[in-house]
Amino acid sequence: MSGAGFPRTQTFEGNYASLADIAAFVRQAASEVGFGDFAMYMVETAVDEACSNIIEHAYGGEDIGKIQITCQDAPTELKIIIQDWGRSFNPQAIPDPDQQADLEDLPGHGLGLFFIRKWMDEVRFSFSGDGNVLTLVKRKE
Amino acid sequence: MSGAGFPRTQTFEGNYASLADIAAFVRQAASEVGFGDFAMYMVETAVDEACSNIIEHAYGGEDIGKIQITCQDAPTELKIIIQDWGRSFNPQAIPDPDQQADLEDLPGHGLGLFFIRKWMDEVRFSFSGDGNVLTLVKRKE
Amino acid sequence: MEITSTPYKRCDLVKIVGRIDSGTAPRVQEALNLITEAGRFKIVIDLSQVDFMSSAGLRVLVNTQKTCKRFNRGEVVLASVPANICASLDLAGFVPLFKMFDDVTAAVGYF
Amino acid sequence: MEITSTPYKRCDLVKIVGRIDSGTAPRVQEALNLITEAGRFKIVIDLSQVDFMSSAGLRVLVNTQKTCKRFNRGEVVLASVPANICASLDLAGFVPLFKMFDDVTAAVGYF
Ligand SMILES: Nc1ncnc2c1ncn2[C@@H]1O[C@H](COP(=O)(O)OP(=O)(O)O)[C@@H](O)[C@H]1O
Ligand SMILES: Nc1ncnc2c1ncn2[C@@H]1O[C@H](COP(=O)(O)OP(=O)(O)O)[C@@H](O)[C@H]1O
């Protein structure tokens, strides 16, 4: 079945209620290309964090702009391309969260990008006139 | 199916380990004649109490004598006949337990005959040269 | 019949699986005695997996309740009592003697 | 997502069913705030039926743990944590922050 129905693209409203639909869309793709339960969960997590960031940081709120997601199947990997038309940012400037901190000092935020980087095999941001594009690659075993 | 395989008789060792086998034997009969879950539980309880009493009181201990049980199916009732060859007693002399008592004063014993009388429709004891016979009747609805 | 005792901070949970009759009731009594002899008198008995309980079993419950309630030091409560056993407790007049909870978690949370 | 809060004698049980993401995490935070604002700081969170938790959910857990542990007045513990969520907690470095119990009864019994 690998390859059938790919690439597939869907556009979602940029609000938090879309997150469950977005999860269903990428889980379906991850399942079809043969990912197991935990790999699917890692993909779901990375995409959820990326889309939450788009709504919160790129658009600065709900229902300001749309999110377009494309799933591409390749022999050795699943590629997920997430596009938005909000403000850009410099991902290199965002450090990993401090894991040494005491409970009281834990910031609690800053985990999203960290999860994306840890659980995906490749993470590429590109910012151009036609919006911001995040490419996530998860390799098949 | 009513009537098929009835009457059926089985003899058990007079010890507490037999109680589960006895329960299985009478539950099977009660189920075959169409009793529902609670009616089966009432039959199981009455027979278990009767056989426990035989071991404890009629024989005065485990593995002294045997217990023979016959199940008879009739159009309107299931009849269970329990026979032992231990000492006899006077059931009329046994009063129902006192249900008014405080927790501290509750005797805890004396419930067996009470359960038998309450949950069976007919209860007849007979004592003769050939042992003691308890006949329990549970009517079909 | 199987008995599993689990000590928690405020109470002990005793889960019984199988049939409580004259043959097995003494083992239930022993398991409960181990707890009360350790000076612990708040006990949850999980009856969800008990398919039969005769008067011998009821007697164990009442004896243990006497021990636990003495000096106001504790209490036996019952969790997930099957309908048939509830009918037995009722016929014996024992329903007022035991708090009953639909689930074990609520029973443990009571103490 | 559904949230059910049950107050017990020594702790509150919060059972969450569904997905905890940026959209639903605020409702979890509200449910937990209701408890801590009532002066109750011993909380069991039952995650057995949670199929997904993003960093927004982890943040709620950590915030509530901060509130509860302050002044030594209590603690949040987790019950029945699904393996995937455990992996998330682990990646975030949060495993040492929460006692975890296999079942809800043991978690309630801990308090
Ligand atoms: N899509 C985005 N657009 C703009 N800024 C972003 C985006 N994603 C992340 N950021 C910036 O990176 C920071 C870290 O993001 P993240 O690790 O997801 O944690 P959090 O969202 O909890 O702050 C954010 O606070 C934000 O400043
Ligand atoms: N089969 C029997 N043979 C002799 N005595 C019996 C028998 N069944 C009952 N009894 C007497 O009746 C009393 C009440 O029996 P029961 O109600 O079953 O309560 P328990 O056995 O707990 O005392 C017994 O204590 C015993 O003296």
Side-chain angles (χ1 to χ4, degrees):
Chain A
M1 288 265 308
S2 180
F6 288 97
R8 62 183 66 164
T9 297
Q10 200 167 313
T11 301
F12 300 88
E13 297 299 323
N15 57 43
Y16 296 129
S18 294
L19 293 173
D21 298 332
I22 290 170
F25 177 66
V26 298
R27 284 184 69 89
Q28 176 67 29
S31 161
E32 284 178 33
V33 307
F35 282 134
D37 182 64
F38 185 45
M40 279 171 64
Y41 193 82
M42 293 192 280
V43 169
E44 178 178 3
T45 298
V47 172
D48 184 278
E49 299 291 349
C51 294
S52 298
N53 279 347
I54 288 169
I55 298 164
E56 184 182 352
H57 302 300
Y59 289 129
E62 291 191 272
D63 294 315
I64 311 285
K66 296 194 187 279
I67 300 173
Q68 179 185 292
I69 304 182
T70 299
C71 299
Q72 279 177 11
D73 184 26
T76 61
E77 63 189 33
L78 176 69
K79 189 178 280 183
I80 297 173
I81 299 155
I82 304 174
Q83 186 160 10
D84 71 84
W85 294 267
R87 76 172 180 83
S88 63
F89 77 116
N90 178 8
Q92 258 83 49
I94 313 291
D96 279 354
D98 181 1
Q99 296 215 321
Q100 315 299 323
D102 279 353
L103 175 62
E104 268 308 321
D105 304 331
L106 272 183
H109 56 79
L111 282 171
L113 280 179
F114 177 70
F115 274 21
I116 294 169
R117 286 167 175 154
K118 285 285 179 182
W119 274 356
M120 293 296 103
D121 295 304
E122 292 173 37
V123 177
R124 284 190 301 275
F125 285 94
S126 80
F127 306 95
S128 74
D130 189 26
N132 313 310
V133 176
L134 168 58
T135 304
L136 304 175
V137 171
K138 184 72 180 166
R139 280 197 285 274
K140 302 174 182 176
E141 304 303 318
Chain B
M1 289 262 311
S2 179
F6 288 97
R8 62 183 67 165
T9 298
Q10 200 166 314
T11 302
F12 301 88
E13 298 299 324
N15 57 43
Y16 296 130
S18 295
L19 293 174
D21 299 331
I22 290 169
F25 176 66
V26 298
R27 284 185 68 90
Q28 176 65 30
S31 160
E32 284 178 32
V33 308
F35 282 133
D37 181 64
F38 185 45
M40 280 171 62
Y41 193 81
M42 293 192 279
V43 169
E44 178 179 3
T45 297
V47 172
D48 184 278
E49 299 291 350
C51 294
S52 299
N53 279 347
I54 288 169
I55 298 165
E56 185 182 353
H57 302 300
Y59 289 129
E62 291 191 272
D63 295 315
I64 310 285
K66 296 194 187 281
I67 300 171
Q68 180 185 293
I69 303 183
T70 298
C71 300
Q72 279 178 11
D73 184 27
T76 60
E77 63 189 33
L78 175 69
K79 189 178 281 182
I80 297 173
I81 300 155
I82 305 175
Q83 187 160 12
D84 71 84
W85 295 266
R87 76 173 180 83
S88 62
F89 77 116
N90 177 8
Q92 258 83 50
I94 314 290
D96 279 353
D98 182 1
Q99 296 214 321
Q100 316 298 324
D102 279 353
L103 175 62
E104 269 307 321
D105 304 331
L106 272 183
H109 55 81
L111 281 170
L113 280 180
F114 177 70
F115 274 21
I116 295 169
R117 287 168 174 153
K118 285 286 181 182
W119 274 356
M120 295 295 102
D121 295 304
E122 291 173 37
V123 177
R124 284 190 301 276
F125 286 93
S126 80
F127 307 95
S128 75
D130 188 27
N132 313 310
V133 176
L134 168 58
T135 303
L136 304 175
V137 171
K138 183 74 180 167
R139 281 198 285 274
K140 303 174 181 175
E141 304 303 319
Chain C
M1 189 211 46
E2 297 300 324
I3 307 175
T4 315
S5 296
T6 312
Y8 292 125
K9 182 153 181 207
R10 314 277 178 178
C11 64
D12 286 74
L13 172 63
V14 177
K15 183 183 168 93
I16 305 165
V17 176
R19 207 173 188 274
I20 310 180
D21 58 23
S22 298
T24 58
R27 284 171 46 214
V28 176
Q29 186 70 71
E30 276 164 34
L32 292 165
N33 287 349
L34 273 180
I35 294 167
T36 56
E37 283 159 12
R40 295 173 61 90
F41 303 102
K42 295 174 177 173
I43 302 178
V44 175
I45 304 182
D46 176 358
L47 295 176
S48 59
Q49 306 298 311
V50 174
D51 32 52
F52 176 79
M53 178 152 52
S54 75
S55 66
L58 297 180
R59 197 154 46 229
V60 169
L61 297 187
V62 168
N63 285 342
T64 309
Q65 185 67 297
K66 282 185 196 177
T67 305
C68 288
K69 283 206 168 168
R70 206 164 287 150
F71 315 122
N72 242 356
R73 60 194 173 183
E75 180 177 356
V76 173
V77 305
L78 307 179
S80 307
V81 184
N84 289 335
I85 294 179
C86 206
S88 261
L89 282 161
D90 187 40
L91 185 58
F94 291 171
V95 167
L97 305 181
F98 298 94
K99 276 213 171 61
M100 301 199 207
F101 294 88
D102 285 350
D103 67 295
V104 176
T105 303
V108 169
Y110 165 73
F111 287 110
Chain D
M1 190 211 46
E2 297 300 325
I3 307 175
T4 316
S5 297
T6 312
Y8 291 127
K9 183 156 179 201
R10 313 277 178 178
C11 63
D12 287 73
L13 172 63
V14 177
K15 183 182 169 95
I16 305 166
V17 176
R19 206 173 189 275
I20 310 180
D21 58 23
S22 298
T24 58
R27 284 171 45 214
V28 177
Q29 187 69 71
E30 275 164 37
L32 292 165
N33 287 349
L34 272 181
I35 294 168
T36 57
E37 284 159 11
R40 295 174 62 90
F41 303 102
K42 296 175 177 174
I43 301 178
V44 175
I45 304 183
D46 176 358
L47 295 176
S48 59
Q49 305 298 311
V50 175
D51 32 51
F52 176 79
M53 178 153 52
S54 74
S55 66
L58 297 180
R59 198 155 43 229
V60 169
L61 297 187
V62 168
N63 285 342
T64 309
Q65 185 67 296
K66 282 186 197 178
T67 304
C68 288
K69 283 206 167 167
R70 207 163 286 151
F71 315 123
N72 242 357
R73 60 193 173 183
E75 181 177 354
V76 173
V77 304
L78 307 180
S80 307
V81 185
N84 289 334
I85 294 178
C86 208
S88 261
L89 282 160
D90 187 40
L91 185 58
F94 291 170
V95 167
L97 305 182
F98 298 94
K99 276 214 171 59
M100 302 198 207
F101 294 89
D102 285 350
D103 67 294
V104 175
T105 303
V108 169
Y110 165 73
F111 286 111

